[in-house]
Amino acid sequence: LHSAPNAGSQFTIRLPFTVSVNRALMVRVGDDAYAIPLNNIEGIVRVSPYELDAYYQPDSPDFEYAGQSYRLRYLGGYVHGVQSPDLQSHVKPLPVLLVRGGDHAVALQVDSLVGSREIVVKSVGPQLSAVSGISGATILGDGSVVIILDLPNMMRHVHSLEYQQHVALEHREEEQIQQSIQEDKII
């Protein structure tokens, strides 16, 4: 700040080159807030808790919207390890974000929407930069730190893990079949 009588004031602001500004949707999962860049979101719909409960059942069909098919998931499954929310306490329809990351289309249910805002994206330290699905963090006006999620990266990572688990399960089943065949030959 440089000020001179009868000349006015001059403000000089220096920002690091690594800081960027982005538009993001603020969402809540449980008690935690997260920021999701708007360019990752195809759309937002509201779905009744009754319908959501049906989609969370085993062998349920994919969520369909505007002729597109999405795998319905709870964002809490990605960030908290809670695969399905407590839908009994909700009466009103809940928000579902339609997200596409490469070949994967996912409908992510969140507990609530806080609203969209411009955020300053700050890089995270080495402890969090290795965590898949985190692209940075931002500091809100009240001083709270909010993690910025990289949903396409998170979906690719989870899809890769699901595929690896599926292959491992098939391999284990094949080994069990071979072992039972060997045991039958011995008898």
Side-chain angles (χ1 to χ4, degrees), residues 159-173:
H159 182 75
S160 167
L161 288 176
E162 287 174 351
Y163 178 75
Q164 290 172 7
Q165 290 171 347
H166 176 71
V167 168
L169 181 63
E170 282 182 351
H171 183 68
R172 198 172 317 123
E173 288 173 353

Side-chain angles (χ1 to χ4, degrees), residues 5-171:
N6 298 326
S9 299
Q10 178 183 5
F11 296 90
T12 305
I13 300 174
R14 291 191 178 98
L15 295 175
F17 184 68
T18 58
V19 173
S20 65
V21 176
N22 221 345
R23 297 246 349 126
L25 179 66
M26 306 299 288
V27 300
R28 285 209 169 276
V29 175
D31 294 333
D32 298 327
Y34 296 95
I36 300 171
L38 286 177
N39 61 350
N40 291 339
I41 300 171
E42 287 185 344
I44 302 170
V45 295
R46 293 201 175 261
V47 182
S48 74
Y50 176 77
E51 287 180 78
L52 287 171
D53 189 43
Y55 283 115
Y56 286 123
Q57 299 306 313
D59 299 324
S60 65
D62 283 346
F63 180 78
E64 296 280 333
Y65 185 78
Q68 297 289 325
S69 183
Y70 298 87
R71 292 179 66 187
L72 184 76
R73 296 286 183 257
Y74 178 51
L75 184 58
Y78 294 104
V79 295
H80 292 158
V82 178
Q83 296 306 316
S84 61
D86 176 23
L87 296 171
Q88 312 307 338
S89 61
H90 296 282
V91 178
K92 294 182 179 181
L94 294 166
V96 174
L97 311 178
L98 305 175
V99 180
R100 186 173 304 278
D103 298 337
H104 314 294
V106 177
L108 284 176
Q109 188 241 313
V110 297
D111 293 335
S112 65
L113 301 177
V114 178
S116 68
R117 58 178 63 165
E118 289 219 346
I119 58 171
V120 176
V121 180
K122 295 184 171 262
S123 61
V124 292
Q127 300 87 348
L128 289 178
S129 63
V131 176
S132 176
I134 295 178
S135 65
T138 188
I139 301 173
L140 300 181
D142 64 0
S144 60
V145 177
V146 175
I147 297 292
I148 303 167
L149 299 177
D150 181 357
L151 292 181
N153 187 14
M154 187 182 294
M155 291 183 326
R156 281 191 301 275
H157 179 72
V158 168
H159 182 75
S160 167
L161 288 176
E162 287 174 351
Y163 178 75
Q164 290 172 7
Q165 290 171 347
H166 176 71
V167 168
L169 181 63
E170 282 182 351
H171 183 68

